[in-house]
């Protein structure tokens, strides 16, 4: 019998890649998603890649009763991976209520429903944004957590505090919070990738859309940081490597290998790249010149973020296998395939 995993937000960018890895590792997957930032066609894409169509329930997790009903239907699940959230930083600054409401109602309804059904394993999508502007690099899990700049970031910080309380109050309940650095890239098949709604906020989709002629020029936010070329440094991680870490985390919970009821892991490669280095790699790999212009810094951006990968390596047994060139080539392949949609 396959073990069943409930994946909230499983039609989204990171969720869909994780569903593929779960299916590949012989798990049965149930996706709960309201499609607010994703497309039903993602199920076809997952089926094309894996040969398996995951069970899908279209449901808004803000709805307490519907969430409970979905969990009662799938009470035989052994773990929940919770991706469902809104994630646009600038939008969260403009509309904090919408962000706090969606991200917390979804989280709390999911936790309440799974506790009610006795599903005791929970994986949470957190973010490196909880480190704010770190005092030391690379960032270890011991680095101080700071009040994030945006309401979006704050939903991640507070969610981790909520999880601390929930594991204390519920014996046997175990959770892993995964702090992602900068996920980019797409499935190597070119059949699945990020589908940003409207104008992208993030660097990689903005680069590929500019190269594809959808956007006129890329704005590089600031070249006066204290870095080798003045542009900000981030730790970009391939979404397929990231997805694989979730499978490792699920197995750690199911096999009761965790050392604490709530564990936290950074998920990055440990390598930092500046914005200009990413642009140069993109131009080299695709042989396409990119139209870009240096502009002022973006509010809330920090100069440099990159992860210490030691803890994830030692405890999850997880290491990244794909580098910046793979991230760029798969992102570009996906962008080109989107033209034929
Ligand atoms: P995404 O928007 O592609 O996926 C999120 C999915 O959740 C979407 O399919 C959306 O329809 C669904 N969803 C949102 N609200 C819902 C609700 N109320 N009920 C049911 N479904 C709902 O985002 P992603 O990039 O795949 O991110 C997944 C998770 O990882 C999010 O929690 C995000 O905050 C976190 N994260 C993402 C990044 C990143 O750069 N992409 C970085 C750090 C953390
Ligand atoms: N960035 C940029 N132009 C863009 C989008 C992003 O110069 O159009 C920069 C941004 O300032 C940051 C890096 O690229 O230094 C990564 O930004 P992204 O929004 O992808 O992720 P973040 O690290 O902010 O979560």
């Amino acid at each position: 019998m396959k073990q069943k995993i409930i994946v909230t937000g499983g039609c989204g960018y990171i969720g869909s890649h994780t569903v593929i890895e779960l299916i590949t590792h012989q798990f049965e997957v149930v996706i709960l998603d309201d499609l607010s930032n994703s497309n039903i066609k993602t199920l076809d894409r997952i089926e094309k890649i894996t040969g398996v169509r995951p069970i899908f329930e279209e449901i808004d997790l803000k709805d307490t009763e519907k969430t409970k009903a979905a969990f009662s239907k799938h009470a035989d699940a052994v773990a929940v991976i919770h991706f469902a959230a809104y994630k646009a930083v600038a939008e969260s600054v403009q509309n904090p209520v919408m962000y706090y409401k969606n991200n917390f109602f979804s989280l709390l309804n999911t936790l309440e429903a799974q506790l009610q059904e006795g599903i005791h394993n929970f994986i949470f999508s957190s973010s490196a944004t909880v480190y704010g502007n770190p005092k030391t690099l690379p960032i270890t899990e011991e680095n101080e957590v700071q009040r994030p700049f945006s309401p979006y970031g704050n939903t991640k910080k507070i969610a981790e505090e909520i999880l601390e309380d929930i594991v204390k109050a519920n014996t046997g309940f175990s959770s892993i919070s995964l702090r992602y650095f900068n996920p980019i890239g797409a499935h190597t098949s070119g059949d699945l990738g990020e589908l940003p709604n409207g104008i992208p906020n993030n660097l990689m989709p903005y680069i590929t859309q500019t190269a594809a002629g959808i956007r006129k020029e890329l704005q590089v936010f600031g070249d006066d940081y204290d870095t080798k070329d003045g542009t900000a440094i981030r730790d970009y991680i391939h979404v397929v490597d990231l997805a694989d870490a979730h499978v490792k985390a699920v197995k750690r919970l199911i096999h009761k290998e965790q050392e604490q009821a709530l564990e936290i892991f950074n998920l990055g490669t440990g390598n930092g790249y500046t914005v200009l280095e990413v642009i140069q790699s993109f131009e080299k790999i695709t042989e396409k010149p990119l139209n870009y212009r240096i502009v002022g810094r973006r509010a809330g951006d920090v100069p440099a973020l990159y992860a210490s990968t030691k803890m994830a390596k030692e405890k999850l047994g997880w290491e990244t296998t794909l580098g910046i060139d793979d991230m760029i080539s798969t992102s570009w392949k996906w962008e080109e395939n989107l033209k034929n949609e």
Side-chain angles (χ1 to χ4, degrees):
M1 264 275 282
K2 288 185 177 179
Q3 290 177 305
K4 187 186 271 187
I5 313 290
I6 294 178
V7 181
T8 76
C11 286
Y13 172 48
I14 303 169
S16 58
H17 287 84
T18 302
V19 168
I20 288 175
E21 295 305 312
L22 288 167
I23 291 173
T24 308
H25 285 83
Q26 304 306 318
F27 287 101
E28 183 180 18
V29 176
V30 178
I31 295 177
L32 308 182
D33 201 305
D34 67 354
L35 304 176
S36 55
N37 196 37
S38 51
N39 194 304
I40 190 78
K41 277 193 208 158
T42 301
L43 299 175
D44 300 335
R45 299 180 194 281
I46 292 171
E47 188 174 2
K48 185 175 172 200
I49 292 169
T50 63
V52 176
R53 196 171 184 85
I55 302 165
F56 174 66
E57 311 276 358
E58 186 172 341
I59 162 179
D60 180 351
L61 295 162
K62 290 198 291 305
D63 186 322
T64 308
E65 292 315 312
K66 286 191 179 147
T67 304
K68 281 187 179 165
F71 275 79
S72 149
K73 192 170 161 189
H74 299 290
D76 54 336
V78 294
V80 176
I81 310 183
H82 184 62
F83 292 105
Y86 293 158
K87 62 164 181 177
V89 174
E91 190 180 48
S92 79
V93 173
Q94 282 155 12
N95 199 341
V97 171
M98 183 172 109
Y99 269 67
Y100 285 123
K101 194 172 168 186
N102 190 59
N103 293 4
F104 289 138
F105 282 22
S106 303
L107 172 72
L108 293 171
N109 283 337
T110 298
L111 287 166
E112 185 178 39
Q114 76 170 93
L115 281 166
Q116 195 168 306
E117 298 303 335
I119 306 169
H120 278 134
N121 297 314
F122 182 81
I123 292 175
F124 180 66
S125 295
S126 188
S127 164
T129 187
V130 301
Y131 295 114
N133 189 1
K135 293 193 184 88
T136 54
L137 290 166
I139 302 169
T140 72
E141 290 79 355
E142 303 303 315
N143 269 57
E144 183 197 349
V145 166
Q146 297 174 16
R147 164 62 158 96
F149 158 78
S150 70
Y152 162 72
N154 207 28
T155 66
K156 299 299 178 193
K157 175 178 177 283
I158 296 171
E160 289 191 348
E161 292 168 0
I162 291 172
L163 289 174
E164 278 171 24
D165 292 337
I166 289 185
V167 297
K168 266 187 225 151
N170 296 278
T171 314
F173 188 85
S174 303
S175 179
I176 292 181
S177 182
L178 299 173
R179 292 179 177 163
Y180 311 156
F181 279 65
N182 285 62
I184 60 172
H187 195 262
T188 44
S189 62
D191 287 327
L192 189 68
E194 191 171 7
L195 270 177
N197 255 343
I199 302 173
N201 297 295
N202 296 114
L203 181 63
M204 188 48 68
Y206 214 105
I207 287 179
T208 56
Q209 289 197 6
T210 304
I214 302 166
R215 311 279 154 213
K216 215 168 97 261
E217 67 173 11
L218 169 78
Q219 296 189 336
V220 173
F221 298 136
D223 69 347
D224 58 349
Y225 289 106
D226 185 15
T227 61
K228 59 182 123 170
D229 60 26
T231 63
I233 293 174
R234 293 291 180 273
D235 184 340
Y236 298 93
I237 170 167
H238 199 295
V239 67
V240 171
D241 275 331
L242 193 67
D244 177 50
H246 291 75
V247 177
K248 298 241 169 23
V250 160
K251 289 187 173 171
R252 184 170 172 87
L253 287 177
I254 296 173
H255 299 146
K256 303 206 175 302
E257 288 164 356
Q258 75 274 12
E259 291 162 14
Q260 287 161 335
L262 171 62
E263 289 184 327
I264 291 174
F265 295 106
N266 286 342
L267 297 183
T269 63
N271 302 314
Y273 290 93
T274 67
V275 177
L276 287 179
E277 283 175 330
V278 175
I279 293 173
Q280 282 150 13
S281 299
F282 181 86
E283 289 180 325
K284 186 188 83 196
I285 287 163
T286 62
E287 296 178 348
K288 284 180 86 72
L290 193 76
N291 189 24
Y292 71 88
R293 182 166 58 96
I294 310 281
V295 298
R297 293 183 181 193
R298 182 170 70 177
D301 276 352
V302 298
L305 288 176
Y306 52 92
S308 161
T309 57
K310 193 166 175 272
M311 185 96 93
K313 189 175 173 182
E314 282 176 9
K315 300 202 172 163
L316 283 183
W318 172 83
E319 274 185 287
T320 56
T321 56
L322 300 162
I324 191 78
D325 290 2
D326 305 297
M327 302 179 208
I328 289 171
S329 60
T330 53
S331 296
W332 181 237
K333 189 173 178 187
W334 168 242
E335 183 70 56
E336 291 210 295
N337 280 359
L338 277 178
K339 273 192 285 197
N340 310 321
E341 284 294 298

